Amino acid sequence: MREKIDNIVKQKSFRQLVKYGIVGVVGLAIDMGVYYLLVRKLSVHYPFSPFISNILGGNMSVGMLDILISNIISSSLAIVNNFILNSYFTFKVTDKKLKRFASFVSIAIIGMVISSMLLTLFIGVMKMDDMLSKIFAICIVAAIQFGINKFFTFKQG
């Protein structure tokens, strides 16, 4: 059994997963920290939220839109950080930076859409706490993104 565990730990993919997790924790701190500041501490209300709410026929509250916009801002800052750290620390792939960044951002945008849908579900429908909802959404999205980024964005070769 010990030998099997040693073999798993020595595998490049396992080490990358651990490093991806470390980078993810740093990104999580950035994402959650900025989100907390915008939503809880500063209670930021974006001047265009009422306009968007009107476009949506009032089907989404201005407060929910403010939360979603804050989510996009905090997620974007974490995305840039995570791309840089994953390029140099996790996957050690630093060529074709622009192409890889475009791929990473595309995957991240899909993640933001999924995250925003999850936040709408958790907060708007299930009435969960916004910070707990944010953590759940990040965990779900991170698991999906690891596989996609490993095999596409940071594929060596």
Side-chain angles (χ1 to χ4, degrees), residues 31 41 43 74 128 149 153:
D31 194 350
K41 284 296 181 188
S43 298
S74 65
M128 289 173 55
N149 279 315
T153 304

Side-chain angles (χ1 to χ4, degrees), residues 75-135:
S75 295
S76 296
L77 293 172
I79 288 165
V80 171
N81 169 77
N82 288 3
F83 174 76
I84 293 166
L85 291 180
N86 278 316
S87 292
Y88 290 93
F89 174 67
T90 305
F91 299 106
K92 296 183 175 145
V93 178
T94 57
D95 63 332
K96 306 175 191 167
K97 284 184 180 103
L98 190 57
K99 180 180 176 187
R100 292 182 192 280
F101 184 71
S103 174
F104 193 82
V105 168
S106 297
I107 292 163
I109 289 170
I110 293 167
M112 270 194 268
V113 169
I114 294 169
S115 174
S116 293
M117 290 185 332
L118 290 170
L119 287 175
T120 302
L121 173 67
F122 296 155
I123 299 168
V125 176
M126 298 172 69
K127 307 297 184 208
M128 289 173 55
D129 176 75
D130 64 304
M131 296 302 288
L132 184 61
S133 297
K134 177 78 170 160
I135 291 169

Side-chain angles (χ1 to χ4, degrees), residues 4-49:
K4 286 183 180 183
I5 293 172
D6 286 343
N7 287 337
I8 290 171
V9 170
K10 290 178 184 176
Q11 289 180 355
K12 183 178 181 180
S13 289
F14 179 79
R15 288 191 316 272
Q16 287 175 335
L17 177 61
V18 169
K19 288 180 178 182
Y20 192 87
I22 292 168
V23 169
V25 168
V26 172
L28 176 66
I30 291 168
D31 194 350
M32 291 298 294
V34 171
Y35 180 83
Y36 178 80
L37 285 173
L38 295 174
V39 173
R40 291 276 181 96
K41 284 296 181 188
L42 301 175
S43 298
V44 175
H45 299 289
Y46 301 95
F48 44 85
S49 293

